[in-house]
């Protein structure tokens, strides 16, 4: 031990980074899970604004509604809905993995597809439902 | 001069692993809590779409809805604080900026949590 070289004395192999690997669905899902998490993090500002606007009064709420109801506002909220549902389903996948299940090639591929399909389908269904409930494009 | 200390003794307590297990566990604990709370939260938000201010105040201020929203805020902000800290620790290697970002991350999460909780409590108590 006493004569062992310190790590800086050796030219140690360096672990290859992302660009070395062939893109795979499970890898993309891992990246997207982190990106959606980051987006949701920033998006909580909207949640806080929404709640504070309601608590502040009709004028503040009207301002929020005008911004949220604009084209860009709806686009952001649509994206936020998908990010939330995708991160939730992706998290569910991680919780299953935490139990030690679902690591097989077929299972993990299926779970990745189910997460993606589920998040997109649920987002579309929610928004269609919302538009139907509120009587179409207001 | 050669140190008399063993290699293990020299590195003891210098690693990053100080509270990792707790963060790992709490991340999962809040993840589990988030699932029903997100479903409930989405239902609450959708039920408010297209309603006027008075209706929004009434719905969000009712005890059960307010409690669910408070739990939602608590669990989500706690979860996102851990998650963002992991991201910071993964990508920021300079010790000072890393520490600064971790501090800001905590302030942000607590700020969002407190502002949102305050709004809900204000509606629930009707002041």
């Amino acid at each position: 031990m006493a004569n062992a070289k310190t790590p800086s004395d050796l030219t140690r192999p360096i672990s290859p980074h992302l660009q070395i690997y062939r893109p795979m669905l499970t890898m993309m899902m891992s990246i997207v899970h982190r990106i959606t998490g980051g987006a949701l993090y920033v998006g909580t500002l909207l949640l806080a604004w929404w709640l504070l606007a309601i608590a502040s009064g009709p004028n503040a709420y009207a301002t929020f509604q005008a911004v949220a109801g604009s084209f860009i506002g709806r686009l952001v909220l649509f994206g936020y809905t998908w990010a939330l549902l995708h991160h939730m389903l992706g998290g569910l996948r991680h919780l299953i993995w935490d139990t030690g299940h679902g690591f097989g090639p077929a299972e993990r591929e299926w779970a990745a597809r189910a997460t993606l399909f589920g998040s997109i389908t649920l987002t579309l269904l929610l928004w269609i439902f919302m538009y139907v409930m509120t009587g179409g494009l207001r | 001069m050669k140190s008399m200390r063993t290699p293990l003794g020299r590195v003891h307590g210098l690693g990053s692993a100080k509270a990792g297990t707790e963060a790992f566990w709490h991340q999962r604990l809040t993840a589990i809590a988030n699932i029903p709370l997100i479903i409930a939260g989405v239902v609450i938000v959708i039920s408010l779409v297209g309603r006027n201010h008075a209706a929004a105040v009434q719905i969000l201020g009712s005890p059960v809805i307010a409690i669910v929203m408070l739990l939602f805020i608590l669990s989500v902000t706690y979860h996102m604080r851990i998650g963002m800290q992991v991201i910071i620790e993964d990508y920021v290697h300079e010790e000072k900026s890393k520490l600064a970002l971790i501090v800001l991350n905590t302030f942000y999460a607590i700020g969002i949590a407190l502002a949102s909780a305050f709004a809900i409590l204000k509606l629930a108590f009707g002041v």
Side-chain angles (χ1 to χ4, degrees):
Chain A
M1 280 298 279
N3 293 325
K5 287 182 173 176
T6 59
S8 55
D9 294 330
L10 306 160
T11 39
R12 298 168 74 86
I14 296 165
S15 169
H17 202 46
L18 289 176
Q19 68 273 14
I20 293 295
Y21 301 103
R22 181 171 56 86
M24 291 187 299
L25 187 62
T26 46
M27 163 182 159
M28 288 304 165
M29 293 293 285
S30 171
I31 295 167
V32 170
H33 192 71
R34 179 160 283 197
I35 292 171
T36 49
L40 293 168
Y41 178 90
V42 179
T44 50
L45 277 172
L46 289 175
L47 177 73
W49 179 24
W50 176 66
L51 291 169
L52 284 171
I54 296 173
S56 299
N59 287 336
Y61 190 52
T63 308
F64 175 86
Q65 280 185 311
V67 175
S70 69
F71 178 73
I72 299 202
R74 283 174 202 220
L75 206 63
V76 168
L77 289 174
F78 184 78
Y80 198 73
T81 311
W82 175 74
L84 183 69
L85 294 172
H86 191 85
H87 198 81
M88 185 184 83
L89 293 176
L92 202 60
R93 208 161 48 108
H94 276 278
L95 289 173
I96 293 166
W97 283 334
D98 284 342
T99 68
H101 296 88
F103 286 109
E107 294 160 300
R108 60 171 191 253
E109 210 59 25
W110 180 86
R113 281 167 206 280
T115 302
L116 198 58
F117 178 78
S119 66
I120 294 168
T121 311
L122 279 176
T123 306
L124 289 174
L125 283 177
L126 270 180
W127 276 72
I128 291 167
F129 177 74
M130 212 147 55
Y131 272 112
V132 169
M133 285 296 286
T134 56
L137 288 159
R138 282 172 297 124
Chain B
M1 194 185 88
K2 244 181 142 30
S3 170
M4 293 293 284
R5 301 182 67 194
T6 65
L8 181 63
R10 275 204 299 278
V11 299
H12 248 316
L14 293 175
S16 59
K18 295 188 178 73
T21 311
E22 194 187 16
F24 178 92
W25 169 239
H26 284 180
Q27 186 75 330
R28 271 125 195 100
L29 199 67
T30 50
I32 295 167
N34 281 348
I35 294 172
L37 290 172
I38 284 168
I39 294 168
V42 166
V43 170
I44 292 168
V45 170
I46 286 180
S47 72
L48 286 169
V49 172
R51 303 228 189 184
N52 63 19
H53 179 255
V57 169
Q58 199 188 10
I59 292 171
L60 279 177
S62 68
V64 175
I65 304 286
I67 290 167
V68 169
M69 286 302 288
L70 285 171
L71 289 172
F72 174 82
I73 296 297
L74 191 75
S75 187
V76 161
T77 51
Y78 194 94
H79 184 84
M80 78 177 190
R81 174 179 168 253
I82 302 171
M84 187 50 77
Q85 182 161 337
V86 171
I87 295 180
I88 292 166
E89 285 164 352
D90 274 358
Y91 302 129
V92 183
H93 302 303
E94 206 274 310
E95 205 61 37
K96 277 180 192 145
S97 8
K98 184 168 79 181
L99 196 65
L101 285 172
I102 287 173
V103 169
L104 283 176
N105 177 43
T106 302
F107 288 177
Y108 175 80
I110 292 176
I112 293 285
L114 197 86
S116 307
F118 173 80
I120 296 163
L121 290 173
K122 184 172 182 289
L123 290 166
F125 295 143
V127 282

